[in-house]
Amino acid sequence: MVSRYLVPGLIVCTIFVVPALGQKGGNATPAAAKKADSGQAPSEQGQAAKAPKGLKGAYVGKFLIGAAGDLRGYSDSELANIKANYDILTPENCMKPQPIHPSEDRYSWRTPDALVKWCQDNDIKVWGHTLLWHAQTGRWFFRPGADGQPVTRELAMARLKDHIMTVVGRYKGRVLGWDVVNEAISDRGSGKTENLRNFGWYRQIGPDVLTLAFKWAHEADPKAELYYNDYGIESGAVKNTGKHASSMLLLKRLIAEGAPIHGVGIQGHWHLDTNLADVEKAITNYASLGLKVCISELDVTASGSNTGAFPRRWGRRAPISAEALEKQAQFYAKLFALFKRHSDAISRVTFWGISDRRSWRSRQSPLVFDAQLEPKPAYQAILDVGLGKKKSAKP
Ligand code: GLA
């Protein structure tokens, strides 16, 4: 399997300015938000007639539809595409620990501030990504302090708390919620333990660092929705093994420790052979813990069965056949039919990018708009499912 981080698509961020408007949506429960959006459950026919166009219009009253991007350098047509299709935007890179806080005494606000302002000006919500992660995190967090001594648990905690309070505090009321912890679980475990990654924060502070991160984020913005986010955590759900079983152990512990956690993000970096029975079972398992579920980074490769990206040295994007596009469309249709069946549990479905050009997996054509921003067959298939024009396909 190709490493997930061979081509991390390190898009650098910048531009725009800061705003001071209130974020619509707050931390209303997804159920309440649905009511507010749609009044009472409309018939699919009625909904189709009233709905705005675009992806978000097809899922009004079901769940938010999102995309990821940093907006820097986006063309007018790309920005128009975002306005037409998405309720909410996740900054792909510019709010990650390293880009936003490159050194202890320096934050880099330009790109995230500009993104938040543009979203507010255009009535698009923002989802914060991410506060605690093993990747794209400055090494300075773990360097000796002013006394030159190796970093202590106390110093590591002080640095992390300061980071979370500053970043979450800056966007308080303007960001709907946060991926507080990203990817804390290792791959290939049996599922008998939490199988946490042996990463810097864990080594410096211990397993309670995850709960602390949730508590600090809540302190900084008590109304923000706070999620645990990871990839592959659906895997093993039907048999309750592997990474899914580990995620259930971890989430139960976080809840028991009093972490203010509201939901789980299943990243959804999938391919045509992804096991949909596992996806469905994972959604119901998380809902049984009283948590909301979102699909936080959806993309489905049209070629290659891995959860990461093809490396650059494998060359340019291969032309994609009509048959492959059709298979991808069918898979997306099944996925969205599944999401629709579980719309009570699902708060949001976010695509990880707006087009195959703006994708960390661009060589595998994973999104619903092509590199020229033209809709692919998957786009129409997803609209049809949302608007009830096709029978819901069972996995
Ligand atoms: C993970 C992260 C994302 C992004 C992708 C690759 O899924 O959560 O922020 O880095 O990897 O783009």
Side-chain angles (χ1 to χ4, degrees):
M1 174 164 119
V2 177
S3 154
R4 303 188 69 243
Y5 297 107
L6 280 171
V7 186
L10 277 184
I11 319 276
V12 190
C13 320
T14 1
I15 55 176
F16 312 114
V17 199
V18 198
L21 306 173
Q23 166 76 43
K24 279 191 9 181
N27 77 336
T29 62
K34 280 176 195 178
K35 261 199 166 162
D37 274 348
S38 61
Q40 33 181 289
S43 74
E44 285 183 332
Q45 293 287 315
Q47 182 178 322
K50 274 185 266 155
K53 292 202 177 100
L55 291 171
K56 64 182 175 185
Y59 290 87
V60 169
K62 298 280 186 266
F63 38 75
L64 299 176
I65 297 283
D70 285 319
L71 300 189
R72 184 186 176 209
Y74 280 33
S75 66
D76 289 347
S77 42
E78 287 177 313
L79 296 174
N81 176 283
I82 294 173
K83 287 195 255 180
N85 285 290
Y86 305 105
D87 300 294
I88 183 163
L89 190 73
T90 305
E92 185 175 0
N93 285 288
C94 65
M95 285 189 187
K96 289 172 174 173
Q98 162 69 33
I100 208 169
H101 195 176
S103 58
E104 186 148 26
D105 52 3
R106 193 163 69 83
Y107 284 88
S108 181
W109 300 119
R110 216 163 124 192
T111 304
D113 280 359
L115 181 147
V116 172
K117 171 165 171 37
W118 185 84
C119 286
Q120 287 192 307
D121 289 350
N122 291 285
D123 203 20
I124 292 172
K125 297 176 175 45
V126 179
W127 188 264
H129 175 85
T130 177
L131 300 169
L132 179 75
W133 192 23
H134 66 278
Q136 287 180 261
T137 296
R139 294 171 78 162
W140 68 263
F141 278 109
F142 308 107
R143 291 214 168 109
D147 60 4
Q149 296 301 308
V151 65
T152 58
R153 172 177 153 91
E154 286 63 40
L155 179 58
M157 281 172 56
R159 284 172 171 168
L160 181 61
K161 180 170 184 185
D162 181 61
H163 172 78
I164 291 177
M165 297 298 292
T166 305
V167 174
V168 177
R170 185 176 186 91
Y171 298 113
K172 180 178 175 182
R174 297 186 287 153
V175 162
L176 182 64
W178 283 91
D179 295 328
V180 176
V181 176
N182 198 30
E183 304 178 349
I185 305 172
S186 284
D187 297 327
R188 292 180 282 278
S190 66
K192 297 208 167 87
T193 67
E194 290 176 9
N195 196 28
L196 292 188
R197 276 175 202 275
N198 183 21
F199 69 126
W201 289 119
Y202 180 85
R203 280 198 300 272
Q204 294 298 335
I205 300 178
D208 57 333
V209 67
L210 308 185
T211 297
L212 288 170
F214 277 94
K215 288 187 170 165
W216 292 328
H218 183 66
E219 194 180 326
D221 185 355
K223 292 192 175 163
E225 296 171 19
L226 305 179
Y227 277 48
Y228 174 76
N229 193 53
D230 210 335
Y231 68 92
I233 47 171
E234 69 285 355
S235 166
V238 168
K239 295 187 178 153
N240 196 31
T241 58
K243 200 159 178 178
H244 179 75
S246 291
S247 74
M248 291 295 283
L249 292 175
L250 171 61
L251 293 166
K252 285 178 189 165
R253 172 175 58 95
L254 293 179
I255 293 167
E257 287 180 357
I261 178 170
H262 304 105
V264 188
I266 301 175
Q267 288 186 359
H269 293 301
W270 287 325
H271 50 79
L272 297 179
D273 299 320
T274 289
N275 182 332
L276 293 184
D278 271 348
V279 172
E280 184 153 29
K281 185 72 171 117
I283 291 169
T284 55
N285 281 351
Y286 295 141
S288 76
L289 300 179
L291 297 171
K292 284 289 166 189
V293 181
C294 76
I295 310 302
S296 55
E297 305 186 10
L298 180 60
D299 51 14
V300 177
T301 56
S303 60
S305 329
N306 65 78
T307 56
F310 285 175
R312 281 186 201 286
R313 65 188 149 78
W314 288 12
R316 295 170 68 82
R317 186 184 306 116
I320 178 162
S321 68
E323 193 193 346
L325 287 173
E326 186 46 38
K327 278 193 186 150
Q328 186 183 43
Q330 286 169 15
F331 188 87
Y332 267 117
K334 282 188 196 165
L335 260 185
F336 274 78
L338 189 165
F339 298 155
K340 213 174 148 182
R341 287 201 294 282
H342 294 284
S343 64
D344 281 352
I346 294 179
S347 52
R348 169 171 63 96
V349 177
T350 285
F351 293 89
W352 204 243
I354 60 163
S355 70
D356 285 343
R357 181 167 106 78
R358 299 268 186 198
S359 165
W360 72 303
R361 310 169 91 187
S362 64
R363 280 159 191 74
Q364 295 140 286
S365 310
L367 293 170
V368 300
F369 291 94
D370 70 14
Q372 285 71 45
L373 211 58
E374 292 297 328
K376 292 158 68 179
Y379 177 78
Q380 190 60 47
I382 293 169
L383 284 186
D384 287 348
V385 171
L387 299 173
K389 292 190 183 162
K390 268 188 187 162
K391 271 203 138 178
S392 290
K394 288 254 175 202

